[in-house]
């Protein structure tokens, strides 16, 4: 066997095999994740804008201004309110759907397709569909309200209703993913637990409360954490349905960052708001993780 010329070692000797396999991912991760994070952090301490002037270093002035910005806190409040409204139904409805399918309803593939299919639609299609449903005069929902003798509702232009309309749209669109997770967890519960309970005379409700729900505790906690994190980052459906209106009553913090950065041209200030929001999300995630660990112990 001939040795490498000039004393050069093969690449597999210089780098561990695992690192060689992971190298393409690490390069892409560094280019598309780490570098934007570093660049955004630098922008947050400058007055970078979309105008022609060269950015200058401003230190923590952007962060100080953001912490005093009433509109930022208002948008953050909308984000938290949307998260509180959407998380519970997205977990409970997904669990109910999974239980219905798991009980052995006829035509299960139809039910599974119907429950999961909306999740495959792009947000633009979903928003356009629900804008039609929410139409004041021609929409299906107001037509049903008229048929029941009830008054019409300004679904997307009434401040007291608009957020609920966004939550309803989000529930229909994204509950399918949580449904699949719950269904997979249900199918992994050992059958001998139900057989033993049936021998002991436990009915369907007793088996549900004493076996099924306790066995789903861990996956329910995971789904709740994932749903909270996803809801905190809400932007697309809000922007397409209401553009944050009426009167900015549904504008989440991510849309406020977009408005400040690309409408107000203040990219540095928008970056500072993004990092404040990022820190809050990290704290919320850490608190949820600590709560889960404490519950497991």
């Amino acid at each position: 066997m001939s040795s490498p010329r000039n004393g050069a070692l093969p690449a597999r000797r210089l780098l561990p095999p695992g690192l060689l396999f992971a190298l393409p991912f690490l390069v892409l991760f560094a280019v598309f994740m780490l570098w934007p994070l570093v660049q955004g952090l630098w922008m947050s301490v400058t007055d970078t804008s979309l105008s022609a002037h060269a950015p200058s270093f401003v230190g923590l002035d952007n962060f100080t201004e953001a912490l005093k910005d009433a509109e930022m806190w208002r948008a953050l409040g909308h984000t938290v309110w949307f998260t509180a409204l959407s998380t519970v139904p997205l977990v409970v409805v997904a669990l109910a759907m999974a239980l219905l399918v798991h009980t052995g309803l006829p035509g299960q593939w139809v039910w599974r397709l119907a429950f999961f299919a909306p999740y495959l639609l792009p947000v633009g299609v979903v928003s356009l569909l629900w804008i039609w449903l929410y139409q004041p005069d021609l929409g299906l929902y107001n037509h049903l309200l008229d048929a029941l003798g009830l008054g019409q509702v300004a679904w997307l232009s009434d401040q007291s209703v608009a957020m609920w309309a966004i939550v309803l749209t989000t529930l229909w669109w994204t509950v399918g993913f949580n449904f699949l997770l719950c269904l997979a967890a249900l199918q992994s519960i050992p059958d001998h637990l139900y057989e033993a309970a049936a021998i002991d005379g436990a009915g369907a409700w007793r088996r549900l409360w004493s076996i099924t729900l306790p066995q789903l505790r861990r996956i329910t906690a995971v789904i709740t954490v994932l749903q909270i994190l996803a809801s905190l980052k809400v932007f697309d459906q809000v922007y397409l349905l209401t553009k944050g209106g009426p009167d900015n009553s549904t504008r989440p913090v991510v849309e406020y960052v977009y408005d400040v950065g690309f409408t107000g041209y203040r990219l540095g200030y928008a970056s500072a708001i993004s990092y404040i929001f990022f820190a809050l999300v990290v704290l919320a995630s850490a608190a949820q993780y600590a709560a889960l660990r404490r519950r497991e112990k």
Side-chain angles (χ1 to χ4, degrees):
M1 180 181 295
S2 60
S3 60
R5 289 180 297 178
N6 300 327
L9 293 176
R12 58 186 175 86
R13 294 187 182 180
L14 295 176
L15 297 175
L19 184 58
L20 287 175
F21 282 109
L23 191 59
F25 165 77
L26 294 176
V27 172
L28 294 175
F29 181 78
V31 172
F32 294 103
M33 290 294 294
L34 294 182
W35 172 247
L37 284 174
V38 174
Q39 182 68 13
L41 185 60
W42 166 250
M43 289 172 58
S44 68
V45 294
T46 66
D47 61 350
T48 304
S49 70
L50 293 178
S51 60
H53 80 277
S56 58
F57 182 78
V58 296
L60 298 179
D61 291 352
N62 287 329
F63 291 91
T64 303
E65 180 182 353
L67 294 176
K68 298 178 181 179
D69 189 348
E71 281 300 317
M72 188 205 75
W73 291 109
R74 185 187 180 197
L76 183 61
H78 297 156
T79 303
V80 174
W81 179 231
F82 171 83
T83 302
L85 292 178
S86 62
T87 299
V88 174
L90 278 167
V91 175
V92 175
V93 173
L95 178 59
M97 292 162 55
L99 288 172
L100 285 175
V101 172
H102 190 64
T103 54
L105 291 174
Q108 282 200 17
W109 70 271
V110 177
W111 292 101
R112 296 186 188 197
L113 177 63
F115 290 157
F116 184 69
Y119 183 74
L120 301 176
L121 297 176
V123 63
V125 174
V126 172
S127 300
L128 181 60
L129 173 63
W130 282 81
I131 287 174
W132 288 342
L133 293 174
Y134 289 143
Q135 282 292 325
D137 298 322
L138 304 176
L140 175 63
Y141 292 148
N142 279 333
H143 178 73
L144 294 176
L145 291 176
D146 285 337
L148 295 174
L150 303 175
Q152 293 189 356
V153 175
W155 295 97
L156 300 178
S157 57
D158 187 343
Q159 292 189 22
S160 62
V161 180
M163 185 64 80
W164 292 94
I166 295 171
V167 170
L168 181 60
T169 302
T170 305
L171 174 64
W172 179 85
W173 177 34
T174 61
V175 73
F177 179 75
N178 295 343
F179 154 73
L180 279 188
L181 295 179
C182 290
L183 184 60
L186 281 171
Q187 293 173 344
S188 66
I189 298 177
D191 292 335
H192 66 80
L193 296 178
Y194 294 106
E195 294 171 357
I199 293 174
D200 291 339
W205 285 105
R206 173 55 61 186
R207 294 196 297 269
L208 173 65
W209 289 104
S210 300
I211 299 176
T212 305
L213 294 183
Q215 290 291 320
L216 295 178
R217 185 177 302 162
R218 177 168 297 183
I219 190 62
T220 302
V222 172
I223 292 174
T224 302
V225 171
L226 293 176
Q227 191 55 60
I228 289 175
L229 295 178
S231 296
L232 287 173
K233 298 182 293 183
V234 64
F235 170 73
D236 298 347
Q237 62 268 41
V238 178
Y239 186 78
L240 293 173
L241 287 171
T242 65
K243 289 185 172 56
D247 192 24
N248 293 331
S249 61
T250 61
R251 181 168 64 173
V253 68
V254 177
E255 184 177 345
Y256 184 60
V257 170
Y258 172 83
D259 291 338
V260 169
F262 295 98
T263 303
Y265 298 161
R266 301 185 61 191
L267 294 180
Y269 183 53
S271 298
I273 298 175
S274 299
Y275 275 88
I276 291 175
F277 179 59
F278 174 73
L280 294 176
V281 171
V282 170
L283 290 176
S285 302
Q288 292 172 355
Y289 178 76
L292 289 176
R293 296 282 294 178
R294 195 179 308 113
R295 182 179 301 177
E296 290 180 355
K297 291 180 179 180

